[in-house]
Each structure stands twice: as structure tokens, then as C-alpha cells.
Amino acid sequence: MTAIPSNLIPAIERETGTNPTHTILWMHGLGADGSDFVPFVEELELPPALHIRFLFPHAPTRPVSINRGMVMRAWYDFDIVDTGIGLHENVASLHASQRAIEALIANEKQRGVKPENIVLGGFSQGGAMALQTGLRYPEKLAGIIALSSYLPVPRMLAVEAHPANFSTPVFMAHGEIDHTIPMMFAEASRKQLRESGYIVEWHEYRMAHAVCQDEIADISKWLRRVLA
């Protein structure tokens, strides 16, 4: 295992085999860190024949408006303007994290993993970053996973989306009783993505802002298809 270069954001690495041919780059939610989803590696129970490098980067710390300026790990700053409008993201911080994730992808390419074998995924704010980065990335990716999440700055998608990932499969899932990121935000994102022509696999679970075992099983099935 090679250490992450110092010019990149720090990340936890786990590999399921020697000389990985695939990478799953997973972003944590607001206030957590990369260690939050490390147990995912074993819980997904992916085929041992797939040699996968899991990358769990740590978001930088910053004041977060929705939490009254409290400093915590966050991919970007945001607030709720109006429940009818949705979330308002600080675009400069969003783009900065997008560039940081793109740099990790570039590093994976240098290590021999093709973009078409890379999945971007995340939970909550991390899922938003997976959508933000993946839909704009200039080379075809294997897939995008957004759990308990939403599409940030939706008005910019048509302008910024790259055609390389128009056909990239997207897995979205949400809790029916999620009060942190209400279901209607995710449903609006799903609607926009599908109307824009993206292939979105959608799942709902009887849970709050969390991850459940049925969801993990569904992600595993989906990954087996997109990484085959």
C-alpha cells in the first residue's frame, strides 16, 4: 500500500487484494471523518476476485452556517434558505472540494486504475460531493452512489455537466423518515437527474438519516454489476 501524497487531502486506504484494478472513493457526511465508513469494506461482501482499493478521504475543517458557524469537517459550507427552495451551498467551498476529489482520482490513474473502474460515493454531504464531482468529471466513471443525499446547486447541472458521464449509472437511496435531509430534496434531485437523461436506481428504506443492512445489500448488488 502506497501512502497518499502530501499534496492531496488525507485519506484512509483499504485494499481487498494486491494490485487493485478498481477504486471506490467514499466521502463521509458532515461532522464525521473518513473512518466513519471503513466497516463498509467488509459489510459489502464483494467478490474476492475483485481487487478494490477503498479510499476514505477526510474533509477539511471549516465553519458551517447551518450549525451556527461551528467548525467541523465539512466538504462545503451550506445553509437552509427556505424549506420550499432547499439548501444554499457556498459554491467556492463546493468547488474546492470537487477539485480535491478530482486530484484523488488523478492519483488513482497514476497508480494504474482507469477512471472507468472508479466509483464515487458518499453519505449525506459526501453523497452530494459524489454527484457534484462525478457528473462533471471529464472521463467516464464506473458509477456514482449518493446515500441520504441530494444534488447540490441543481441550477448549474445543465451548464457544468460533462457528457462523458451522461450514461454513468447512479445509485440513490434515502430514508423515509429522514429529517436531516428531507426526502423531498432527494426526490427533487432524482427527478431532475432522470429528466436530464441519467440512469438512476432509486431505493427507499424505513429509516431516518442513516444506513441500514438492506441498503448495504442493495449497494453490493449494484456494485457487482457496475464493477463487473
Side-chain angles (χ1 to χ4, degrees):
M1 187 182 300
T2 307
I4 297 289
S6 59
N7 62 317
L8 300 176
I9 57 173
I12 297 170
E13 286 194 11
R14 294 291 185 271
E15 295 179 354
T16 64
T18 57
N19 302 317
T21 55
H22 298 74
T23 296
I24 296 177
L25 204 169
W26 191 271
M27 278 76 73
H28 61 78
L30 179 67
D33 64 22
S35 65
D36 200 31
F37 275 84
V38 171
F40 235 31
V41 177
E42 294 184 359
E43 291 171 359
L44 287 171
E45 297 182 341
L46 295 172
L50 278 175
H51 290 194
I52 303 169
R53 178 181 295 117
F54 285 81
L55 280 181
F56 302 98
H58 305 296
T61 57
R62 68 176 84 243
V64 178
S65 298
I66 200 169
N67 288 338
R68 299 182 180 179
M70 186 181 298
V71 175
M72 62 186 65
R73 289 197 181 276
W75 295 107
Y76 53 90
D77 183 30
F78 72 107
D79 206 346
I80 291 181
V81 178
D82 183 288
T83 54
I85 298 173
L87 302 174
H88 174 72
E89 301 87 0
N90 178 292
V91 175
S93 58
L94 186 73
H95 285 169
S97 286
Q98 178 185 334
R99 290 191 296 270
I101 295 164
E102 289 171 344
L104 288 174
I105 297 172
N107 191 58
E108 288 306 288
K109 289 171 59 180
Q110 291 181 357
R111 298 165 89 182
V113 181
K114 299 176 182 177
E116 67 221 46
N117 289 335
I118 296 176
V119 171
L120 296 187
F123 173 79
S124 193
Q125 196 183 60
M129 282 311 310
L131 290 169
Q132 170 72 19
T133 307
L135 299 178
R136 291 159 175 78
Y137 194 70
E139 296 180 82
K140 179 79 166 64
L141 299 169
I144 300 169
I145 302 173
L147 308 184
S148 302
S149 191
Y150 72 103
L151 177 69
V153 286
R155 67 188 182 281
M156 296 303 297
L157 180 64
V159 178
E160 297 180 350
H162 198 285
N165 283 292
F166 279 166
S167 62
T168 297
V170 178
F171 182 103
M172 292 188 73
H174 217 86
E176 295 173 352
I177 49 175
D178 188 337
H179 300 300
T180 303
I181 297 181
M183 173 77 84
M184 65 179 181
F185 291 168
E187 289 176 330
S189 297
R190 176 195 63 188
K191 182 175 184 290
Q192 179 177 349
L193 289 172
R194 284 181 171 171
E195 288 179 351
S196 299
Y198 291 97
I199 304 164
V200 180
E201 181 172 321
W202 172 265
H203 293 266
E204 297 177 18
Y205 305 94
R206 190 64 183 170
M207 64 179 184
H209 196 62
V211 177
C212 65
Q213 287 301 314
D214 287 345
E215 184 177 29
I216 292 172
D218 289 334
I219 295 167
S220 179
K221 292 175 187 175
W222 183 85
L223 283 170
R224 288 166 189 258
R225 294 199 305 271
V226 303
L227 297 180

